[in-house]
Amino acid sequence: MTSTPAQVPISVLIPAKNEETNLPACLASVKRADEVFVVDSQSSDRTVEISESFGAKVVQFHFNGRWPKKKNWSLENLPFRNEWVLILDCDERIPTELWDEMASAISNPNYDGYYINRKVFFLGQWIRFGGKYPDWNLRLFRHQKGRYENLGTEEVPNTGDNEVHEHVILERPAGYLNHDILHEDFRDIYQWLERHNRYSNWEARVYYNLLEGRDEAGTIGSNFFGDPVQRKRFIKKVWVRLPFRPLLRFIWFYIIKLGFLDGKAGYIYGRLLSQYEYQIGVKLYELRKFGGQLNQQFPTANSQPTKVPEVTEVQN
């Protein structure tokens, strides 16, 4: 007779909006959690119904267009009954061996949080190369000890109400777990393109802030000798000043970091990342051209409306 694994005293936080395709697999993978919150943004699909069918607690978040966004708001306001919280996106899953490891890790008094690596799947294939693995994210932490950094991007239009690539700040060093989160979006390429169109708005603002020398207070900071996330942030400060970034990103992913070893999926992923970098660059140009405003151009008092040419009716 097979015994049921014991519940783990962790509260899972899943931000969601119209995620009926991804949610079943995600929620099935967190059944060992003592508590699961799905923080929804007024979904119009079956997100709420599916979440409740798995026993998750559904909370509605109404974004006011400013800080905090969804994850930090949830950390501040949800009545977690456990000390530890796991942040999980709808397109991610927790395998059994990671649950076993987390159950042991949370009893260690030396850490307030843990970085967890992710395996990113694209077109049904693990993208092992191209610099996509390892992909460390601080996802498991004592909820009273961690908050997401503020990169000054909350008022950028069309980015949504959820933190995009902001990272969690802890006062004490975090540990590292051995097993991986599985990241696979079951939706089509259209959704990937739509999502990264929004993300490029956010990235353009981050680039703009770096070029303008924005104060790093309230962020994880940048440090070449720091943890993997701080090292990436340091490299980005150099990267944003380089020419030909779309081409360089493809060369870096596909050739230098051996993305070609992932076959056709690796090639497509590399081309999409290059396109994504181009979008960021165009929007960065827009920000700098219009004084830090993205997708906004206000007419002056003396501006004249564009004259619409007359259409001459053609007689048969």
Side-chain angles (χ1 to χ4, degrees), residues 156-160 164-165 189-205 272-273 275-284 286 294-295:
V156 180
N158 303 319
T159 58
V164 180
H165 296 143
I189 294 295
Y190 172 90
Q191 298 294 337
W192 193 100
L193 293 169
E194 188 275 336
R195 185 169 67 252
H196 283 77
N197 187 29
R198 290 188 286 107
Y199 289 176
S200 61
N201 280 17
W202 182 91
E203 292 278 12
R205 170 61 69 172
L272 288 175
L273 288 179
Q275 175 183 314
Y276 176 52
E277 191 66 43
Y278 181 75
Q279 288 179 264
I280 297 170
V282 171
K283 293 176 181 181
L284 175 60
E286 184 180 26
L294 186 64
N295 297 337

Side-chain angles (χ1 to χ4, degrees), residues 148-196:
Y148 282 84
E149 61 182 343
N150 184 351
L151 294 175
T153 62
E154 63 271 17
E155 294 184 16
V156 180
N158 303 319
T159 58
D161 62 0
N162 194 29
E163 291 85 347
V164 180
H165 296 143
E166 289 91 342
H167 296 281
V168 175
I169 300 174
L170 291 177
E171 292 184 2
R172 296 201 301 167
Y176 291 81
L177 299 184
N178 295 315
H179 295 94
D180 302 331
I181 290 175
L182 306 180
H183 177 283
E184 182 173 13
D185 193 338
F186 293 131
R187 298 171 298 177
D188 56 25
I189 294 295
Y190 172 90
Q191 298 294 337
W192 193 100
L193 293 169
E194 188 275 336
R195 185 169 67 252
H196 283 77

Side-chain angles (χ1 to χ4, degrees), residues 58-72:
V58 179
V59 177
Q60 291 297 331
F61 173 65
H62 297 269
F63 186 43
N64 64 5
R66 302 186 64 82
W67 194 259
K69 287 194 171 185
K70 188 184 291 184
K71 291 175 186 174
N72 265 358

Side-chain angles (χ1 to χ4, degrees), residues 235-247:
I235 293 172
K236 182 170 285 190
K237 293 176 73 172
V238 177
W239 172 259
V240 71
R241 292 170 169 83
L242 296 179
F244 310 114
R245 289 189 301 272
L247 175 61

